[in-house]
Amino acid sequence: MQAKLIKLIVALVTIWALIYPFIQDKSPQDSTLDQEDTSAEVVPKVPEKPLHSVKLPNFSAIRDIKEKKTAFFDFIKPHVEAENKQILEQRATLEIALMMVQFDETLTRKQIEKIAMIFTKYDLKGEAINESSLKRALRRVDIIPKELALMQAANESAWGTSRFARIGLNFFGQWCYTKGCGMVPKRREDAADHEVRAFQSVRAAVKSYFRNINTNDAYRELRSVRAELRAQKAPIDATVLTSGLLSYSERGEDYVNELNDMIRHNRAYFDEE
């Protein structure tokens, strides 16, 4: 009888030991920790201030895809078209001068001044004005199809919603290498020193993009393809020129293929007025 009683007591003690951790109250210290966790102050995130005074459309707030695309193109396209118009005027100046030089006609002082300004803008400053330099300039002074410019802007800026577009009006992902010239990428490697350039106007951003494509050695192939199309009197087709943009992105061919897909899928928007 005594042995059975001892066994019963041992069994009860064992059961109590097993269930005690689950039924015991929290200690005062635990309660305090829980209270501190739930009442911790949340520090509000301070919005990054724009580095410009331009009032941008709130592209992020537009949910309808067609409406967002239309708003983006309506915003960027006038600047692209204005830059292409100016380039065609510069190109006409060079073509007239080339024709005169080929026929041994003397250029006027005004022509020489205009050509010198064009040469400076396109990194040909100081070159003598002759048939060779004028032909070299004509390879640089040429349009970029609006389809290509618009699709690169959409791709690089996530349809105008990226931090770099909103804060620095950089719609084309252009870099700069002087400290303070723009915005520091949040994921920039420690050893890197580049920044994403900031602009004061959309037109300045577009001009910089055009100049980059038309003067940078990385896009010499694009300019060669464009010159060949000119020689053949063929249209300057955007999807033909994209092959010269392999260096524009680390993604290389994938980037080019994506641009071509975007151009094909958005053709309906390009000619809308």
Side-chain angles (χ1 to χ4, degrees):
M1 183 69 177
Q2 187 176 5
K4 289 183 178 181
L5 182 59
I6 292 172
K7 287 182 180 181
L8 179 60
I9 292 171
V10 171
L12 290 172
V13 171
T14 302
I15 293 171
W16 177 257
L18 290 172
I19 68 173
Y20 177 75
F22 300 98
I23 65 174
Q24 65 174 328
D25 293 333
K26 290 182 178 180
S27 67
Q29 184 179 5
D30 291 333
S31 299
T32 303
L33 287 173
D34 286 350
Q35 187 176 5
E36 289 175 352
D37 288 342
T38 56
S39 64
E41 184 179 354
V42 178
V43 179
K45 185 176 180 181
V46 179
E48 191 174 7
K49 290 184 178 180
L51 301 174
H52 58 85
S53 58
V54 177
K55 185 172 178 57
L56 293 173
N58 187 359
F59 295 115
S60 298
I62 305 174
R63 299 303 176 189
D64 181 81
I65 294 177
K66 184 173 182 180
E67 184 182 346
K68 177 180 283 191
K69 288 183 176 182
T70 299
F72 182 79
F73 289 137
D74 286 348
F75 183 73
I76 297 289
K77 186 161 62 173
H79 300 284
V80 171
E81 291 177 337
E83 190 63 20
N84 272 330
K85 181 181 178 181
Q86 185 178 73
I87 286 174
L88 288 176
E89 292 171 355
Q90 294 169 339
R91 187 174 175 85
T93 297
L94 297 177
E95 288 175 331
I96 292 170
L98 175 61
M99 193 164 44
M100 291 177 66
V101 167
Q102 289 173 330
F103 283 92
D104 293 326
E105 295 185 24
T106 303
L107 299 176
T108 67
R109 181 177 177 179
K110 187 174 181 180
Q111 281 180 302
I112 293 172
E113 289 175 352
K114 288 179 69 174
I115 293 167
M117 289 176 62
I118 294 171
F119 276 18
T120 298
K121 182 176 179 179
Y122 289 87
D123 288 351
L124 297 170
K125 183 178 181 179
E127 291 206 19
I129 300 174
N130 52 42
E131 183 174 351
S132 176
S133 65
L134 288 167
K135 285 182 176 179
R136 190 158 54 253
L138 283 167
R139 292 174 74 88
R140 297 188 176 196
V141 185
D142 208 343
I143 64 166
I144 297 172
K146 65 182 178 183
E147 297 88 345
L148 179 55
L150 291 173
M151 285 298 89
Q152 282 202 269
N155 187 292
E156 295 290 336
S157 72
W159 296 93
T161 65
S162 73
R163 172 196 172 214
F164 301 129
R166 291 182 293 102
I167 305 302
L169 297 179
N170 192 327
F171 292 89
F172 296 94
Q174 299 174 83
W175 290 6
C176 56
Y177 297 90
T178 303
K179 186 175 178 61
C181 62
M183 297 159 283
V184 177
K186 293 180 179 179
R187 297 182 182 178
R188 187 180 72 175
E189 296 180 2
D190 293 339
D193 61 355
H194 70 278
E195 296 183 13
V196 177
R197 189 173 173 187
F199 298 93
Q200 295 301 305
S201 69
V202 179
R203 185 64 189 277
V206 171
K207 276 183 172 293
S208 180
Y209 159 75
F210 271 75
R211 188 178 185 281
N212 184 34
I213 296 297
N214 280 332
T215 63
N216 197 313
D217 282 345
Y219 312 117
R220 184 177 294 176
E221 176 62 24
L222 182 148
R223 297 193 294 272
S224 294
V225 172
R226 186 175 59 187
E228 184 61 30
L229 291 174
R230 284 288 186 194
Q232 297 173 2
K233 301 188 183 305
I236 310 299
D237 187 272
T239 56
V240 177
L241 295 190
T242 53
S243 61
L245 292 172
L246 288 171
S247 298
Y248 203 96
S249 168
E250 294 176 350
R251 296 168 55 212
E253 273 193 46
D254 288 340
Y255 177 73
V256 168
N257 291 335
E258 185 172 271
L259 282 179
N260 286 336
D261 286 341
M262 291 178 74
I263 291 169
R264 284 191 287 267
H265 292 154
N266 290 281
R267 285 195 184 281
Y269 296 92
F270 299 142
D271 297 321
E272 289 183 356
E273 298 296 338

